[in-house]
Amino acid sequence: MRWWKVAGLAGLAGVAATGVVLARQERRRRAYTPDEIRERLHARVAEAEQGPAATADES
């Protein structure tokens, strides 16, 4: 088998593996209920608001 065939097959396997990973992530993301998403977003906003203030106090 020539090297370019092996490289092509490795590239194809990489693309397929990437597709599998993205499909799993999408399935996991869609499994959240709207209330769970809202709670997570509120928690992230609260964390982001506290983050810059804490680093400004330290400097």
Side-chain angles (χ1 to χ4, degrees):
M1 211 181 236
R2 298 187 184 227
W3 68 269
W4 55 270
K5 287 183 181 179
V6 174
L9 289 174
L12 185 62
V15 169
T18 302
V20 168
V21 169
L22 292 176
R24 284 183 183 173
Q25 288 175 349
E26 183 68 16
R27 233 179 285 126
R28 191 176 304 141
R29 184 185 68 80
R30 289 181 185 233
Y32 291 121
T33 65
D35 291 333
E36 289 173 331
I37 294 171
R38 188 176 302 108
E39 289 173 11
R40 291 179 64 149
L41 287 174
H42 285 295
R44 287 177 64 186
V45 167
E47 183 179 309
E49 289 174 347
Q50 292 173 357
T55 57
D57 292 340
E58 294 174 0
S59 55

